[in-house]
Amino acid sequence: MKKLGIIGCGWLGNHIAERLSDRYEIFVTTTSESKIEAFTSKGYFPTLVSFPDEASETLKEWEIAHELDAIIISIPFSGIRGKQVSMKTRQGNVLKFLGDYKGQLFLTSSTGVYPEFEKEYKEEDQPVENVESENFIKDRFPKANVLRLAGLMGDQRLLKNYNISNLDQPVNHIHYADICSVIEKMLDQQSQGKVYNLVAPVHPNKEEVINAQKDLPYSGERTEKGRLISSAKLISELDFEFQYPDPRYFHSPIIK
């Protein structure tokens, strides 16, 4: 059985692990000692480690890394909505942990790397070389895949559960099930050096989404303007079909 590592196994990492645990041995890292037992009970192999914002003399290379077929890095390295926050020391700690890893590598980034302007953004509008929170990985591992994730939704993460403003603005959201499907497909295809926006292709406004999730009617008009993130490259290159293309229906049962 192949081996998969997830550095920073939080909400999303858990979903990825659950999707792939029948095909991969799962090796995870966590900063919480209380999660070790839970991960072990699921059959995963946990490592307790943190990646501080200051230099760490105690941090060592991940001993299992050289045995892993793929690694997914799922910890934050930047601010939100294009406001890049330098985390060079944390980045250095992660690189130290990876050592001279040779396998398939994924970095989960964010569509927050795109500025706050009303236009449709494609991957080439923001080259990795211009994004500090992505380039540090590509510089060391040129074949790493960068996945720019839109707003993470699914389960109890639904827009209706939050205090929301600017209800007329379109959403850029992604259901975790589609993230898992993208990663699974890229693992199968041994994808290397790809940069993709992971965002549902339909962009209803916030009020539409909230009303749908509350089973309320919506009689307003959908705006055609706003900050929109395109998933066209992902759909074309991976021949990818979204399970959840429309955020209005993210509360529907998981489609197997």
Side-chain angles (χ1 to χ4, degrees), residues 54-231:
E54 61 275 353
S56 174
E57 297 298 329
T58 60
L59 186 66
K60 307 294 183 183
E61 182 178 342
W62 200 6
E63 290 184 359
I64 195 67
H66 69 282
E67 297 182 24
L68 300 178
D69 297 281
I71 292 177
I72 300 167
I73 303 170
S74 185
I75 56 178
F77 291 105
S78 68
I80 60 172
R81 291 289 174 97
K83 296 179 181 178
Q84 293 293 301
V85 178
S86 180
M87 294 186 178
K88 287 188 176 180
T89 305
R90 178 181 293 186
Q91 294 166 5
N93 286 332
V94 170
L95 293 175
K96 184 178 180 181
F97 191 65
L98 288 170
D100 62 349
Y101 176 68
K102 304 297 185 184
Q104 194 179 14
L105 186 61
F106 296 82
L107 174 70
T108 62
S109 181
S110 166
T111 55
V113 302
Y114 299 109
E116 278 291 332
F117 296 120
E118 290 190 354
K119 63 167 287 184
E120 183 179 58
Y121 287 98
K122 300 178 180 179
E123 289 83 353
E124 57 265 28
D125 293 324
Q126 187 68 289
V128 169
E129 292 74 18
N130 296 345
V131 182
E132 181 186 296
S133 58
E134 298 174 347
N135 187 51
F136 84 99
I137 281 289
K138 293 286 280 188
D139 187 51
R140 173 75 71 85
F141 302 97
K143 293 183 179 180
N145 300 296
V146 175
L147 306 180
R148 293 172 174 171
L149 310 182
L152 303 180
M153 293 291 169
D155 284 344
Q156 297 304 308
R157 288 195 179 193
L158 299 174
L159 210 59
K160 70 175 183 177
N161 296 332
Y162 299 89
N163 293 321
I164 302 298
S165 59
N166 302 316
L167 294 178
D168 61 332
Q169 290 184 350
V171 301
N172 295 287
H173 288 169
I174 181 73
H175 195 290
Y176 72 80
D178 283 315
I179 299 174
C180 293
S181 295
V182 168
I183 291 174
E184 187 172 27
K185 195 161 191 175
M186 293 179 73
L187 286 167
D188 289 344
Q189 295 185 3
Q190 285 294 299
S191 300
Q192 301 273 17
K194 300 296 185 181
V195 180
Y196 289 133
N197 295 330
L198 270 63
V199 56
V202 180
H203 302 275
N205 65 41
K206 296 175 184 178
E207 188 173 6
E208 281 186 88
V209 175
I210 292 170
N211 282 24
Q213 292 173 354
K214 291 183 175 181
D215 293 319
L216 297 174
Y218 176 76
S219 57
E221 294 184 3
R222 181 177 299 177
T223 178
E224 299 298 326
K225 295 182 179 180
R227 177 179 175 273
L228 303 176
I229 312 299
S230 171
S231 55

Side-chain angles (χ1 to χ4, degrees), residues 15-35:
H15 283 298
I16 295 170
E18 288 173 5
R19 168 71 74 88
L20 297 170
S21 60
D22 63 335
R23 300 175 52 197
Y24 289 82
E25 286 185 272
I26 305 294
F27 296 79
V28 303
T29 78
T30 178
T31 60
S32 175
E33 192 166 355
S34 63
K35 292 182 179 180

